Amino acid sequence: MSAEPIVEADIELFRKDAGVAGIFVDFDGTLSEIVKDPSEAMPRAGAAELLDELATAYKKVAVLSGRPVDFLVPFFSELVELSGIYGLEVVEHGNRVDHPMGGAWREVIDDVAAVSRARGPAGMRVESKGLSITLHYRGRPRLEPKVRAWAEQWATRSGLLCRPARMSFELHPPIPADKGTALLDLADALEAVCYVGDDVGDLPAFDALDKLAADGVRTLKVAVHSDEESPEILQRADATVNGPAGVVKLLESLRPGR
Ligand SMILES: [Mg+2]
């Protein structure tokens, strides 16, 4: 059964405990619309300002993305913590604190990106993110098996791990980091945590919330509806919102003192 649209009661529980609560959000498809050229994605109007405002009331506000933090930094103030490449890159209070095991893999990633550009399936788009690579078949769904085969082949050859993502496959260093580990790091000492995401890459964050809930933390898993939504994320969510516009409305209603 899929989750129902979010209701005021869900939100009120967070508003009243803002001082001990964290609001964590995904970027693509959550704060930003999904765009054909990923380099053109940007937060929906008002979203970054709302996160700043929430960061003054809530104990912690963070954006958790598969993108490098360098992409995210220009959009957000230092009040908002940033976790990039699924937790391998972190910016806290404006300071970069990357995963200690990440650096050694940059060269491998560069090599696999180069060979994928030179010899990968025709039509596959290669997006190198420094510490991970995304191999896209966006707009070409029939390319999926070829891109999958290429991603799996190069994962095996390079020691990187292959993960499915939205109309793409991603290759990551074999470091135990995902949005779940990133969330657990950020959630340290919080008594309530809300996470908003739209995609299979957000499922580890939902898993992490389930772990926190088992330890008595109040949690809220919010899934974002979209044209390409994953049934899994909707099934796992406590509540849903409609697209990034719905996320902005949710952030507005999370403002304490409303
Ligand atoms: Mg997303």
Side-chain angles (χ1 to χ4, degrees):
M1 204 188 78
S2 285
E4 298 290 321
I6 197 157
V7 294
E8 177 61 22
D10 295 330
I11 295 163
E12 174 57 24
L13 287 172
F14 275 82
R15 259 197 325 246
K16 74 178 176 59
D17 285 339
V20 291
I23 306 297
F24 301 154
V25 292
D26 166 50
F27 185 80
D28 290 273
T30 298
L31 291 178
S32 151
E33 303 288 346
I34 297 293
V35 288
K36 216 167 200 164
D37 178 352
S39 68
E40 288 178 2
M42 59 169 72
R44 204 177 160 85
E49 293 78 3
L50 278 164
L51 289 178
D52 268 1
E53 194 183 335
L54 294 180
T56 61
Y58 286 79
K59 179 107 174 165
K60 201 172 279 190
V61 171
V63 176
L64 284 77
S65 176
R67 289 185 184 259
V69 289
D70 285 344
F71 179 87
L72 303 170
V73 160
F75 298 121
F76 304 101
S77 85
E78 292 184 2
L79 296 174
V80 177
E81 301 204 6
L82 303 174
S83 168
I85 318 276
Y86 302 97
L88 293 184
E89 298 180 342
V90 174
V91 175
E92 279 175 8
H93 314 298
N95 299 315
R96 190 81 184 252
V97 263
D98 288 355
H99 195 290
M101 284 159 73
W105 286 93
R106 287 191 189 269
E107 207 173 313
V108 176
I109 300 275
D110 285 349
D111 290 349
V112 176
V115 77
S116 298
R117 285 197 182 96
R119 301 195 343 241
M124 175 177 82
R125 217 169 50 72
V126 180
E127 184 189 4
S128 177
K129 300 173 174 175
L131 262 183
S132 77
I133 306 167
T134 308
L135 303 169
H136 295 271
Y137 55 91
R138 171 163 300 283
R140 297 180 175 85
R142 271 189 290 178
L143 209 56
E144 193 258 6
K146 280 189 179 167
V147 174
R148 175 193 292 271
W150 178 268
E152 287 174 350
Q153 177 195 342
W154 279 92
T156 306
R157 287 173 79 157
S158 64
L160 297 170
L161 299 178
C162 178
R163 291 185 199 158
R166 208 189 248 262
M167 306 298 278
S168 62
F169 290 90
E170 296 183 335
L171 297 175
H172 294 270
I175 299 170
D178 57 25
K179 288 195 183 180
T181 57
L183 186 145
L184 290 174
D185 285 346
L186 288 163
D188 190 36
L190 297 178
E191 292 173 26
V193 181
C194 170
Y195 183 80
V196 190
D198 70 312
D199 193 10
V200 287
D202 299 305
L203 289 172
F206 279 10
D207 292 338
L209 286 192
D210 289 345
K211 263 185 222 158
L212 291 173
D215 291 341
V217 175
R218 179 181 307 140
T219 60
L220 181 61
K221 296 174 284 189
V222 181
V224 184
H225 280 294
S226 75
D227 298 342
E228 298 170 5
E229 64 196 18
S230 107
E232 249 179 307
I233 196 106
L234 293 177
Q235 277 160 12
R236 292 283 313 280
D238 300 313
T240 64
V241 295
N242 281 323
V247 175
V248 168
K249 270 192 214 154
L250 168 63
L251 298 177
E252 280 170 354
S253 57
L254 280 165
R255 288 184 292 193
R258 277 176 77 253

